[in-house]
Amino acid sequence: PLRLARVSTEVFAPLPTVALLLVVIAVHATASLGDALKWVVVTVVFVSLVPLVYVLRGVRRRRLSDRHVGVREQRPLVLAIAIGSATLSLALLAVGGAPRELFALVAAMIAGLISSLCVTLVWKISIHAAVVTGIVVVLTLVYGPLALALSPLVALVSWARVKLRDHTVAQVVAGICLGATIAALVFSLLR
């Protein structure tokens, strides 16, 4: 079980899963593969890669505890960097006339990051749980009820975070609630 928890935490880590969702929505929302590729670069670079490089560099320089930034006090700056970088992506999407769904997705991600930052200032919330839940909600809104088949991933990731003692049950439940609410409201309203 511990190995499964570790593997689940890595495989469903927020930044790579967000990158995959951006690719899926870019392909869905565009008329051609060329257009999709253009928007994938604009979003994945700024929403996923820039924060990932910042985190990995911070870990290597021993400024951050680990790839998942397990120390709550270290999270605000990481989240602020992610918010800034994603906001740059959103601006590029707006100026470039990106598909509405992709714009809505990045806006929802920024809203999730800002909400997570506000919570993180006083309490440690599970961003893993928030992200995987948000992904299931967005995919359900885009592809319909069939995407709900991915719901067990929320349980798997939540279990893994608690099993590894990275989060309490309350922190995971709060992440699930935050991810579902932001995805349902912000993505729905803007798409």
Side-chain angles (χ1 to χ4, degrees):
L2 203 55
R3 181 167 168 70
L4 176 60
R6 285 191 186 114
V7 169
S8 300
T9 288
E10 295 304 325
V11 170
F12 299 106
L15 293 173
T17 54
V18 160
L20 183 59
L21 180 63
L22 289 164
V23 171
V24 168
I25 298 302
V27 169
H28 178 267
T30 54
S32 73
L33 200 52
D35 281 344
L37 184 59
K38 171 177 68 174
W39 299 123
V40 163
V41 169
V42 169
T43 57
V44 171
V45 165
F46 292 106
V47 177
S48 269
L49 290 181
V50 168
L52 180 61
V53 167
Y54 178 80
V55 167
L56 294 177
R57 200 168 169 187
V59 170
R60 192 179 44 211
R61 292 180 175 184
R62 299 179 195 257
R63 286 192 218 141
L64 298 175
S65 59
D66 59 279
R67 290 186 310 277
H68 304 296
V69 194
V71 176
R72 182 185 61 82
E73 293 78 12
Q74 295 174 349
R75 288 180 166 199
L77 183 57
V78 172
L79 289 167
I81 298 288
I83 291 164
S85 189
T87 301
L88 179 57
S89 176
L90 190 67
L92 292 171
L93 292 174
V95 169
R100 193 83 184 146
E101 274 188 335
L102 195 56
F103 181 89
L105 177 59
V106 174
M109 290 176 174
I110 293 168
L113 287 165
I114 291 169
S115 301
S116 295
L117 174 59
C118 291
V119 173
T120 296
L121 293 175
V122 294
W123 193 55
K124 187 178 174 187
I125 190 169
S126 175
I127 295 173
H128 274 76
V131 168
V132 75
T133 304
I135 288 171
V136 171
V137 171
V138 166
L139 291 175
T140 301
L141 291 168
V142 172
Y143 291 103
L146 189 59
L148 288 172
L150 297 171
S151 294
L153 294 178
V154 175
L156 175 65
V157 169
S158 298
W159 165 82
R161 303 308 288 148
V162 173
K163 179 72 176 171
L164 294 173
R165 298 176 192 243
D166 289 325
H167 289 286
T168 65
V169 171
Q171 291 166 341
V172 166
V173 170
I176 291 168
C177 293
L178 180 74
T181 302
I182 296 293
L185 290 178
V186 178
F187 182 73
S188 291
L189 289 172
L190 295 178
R191 72 187 279 234

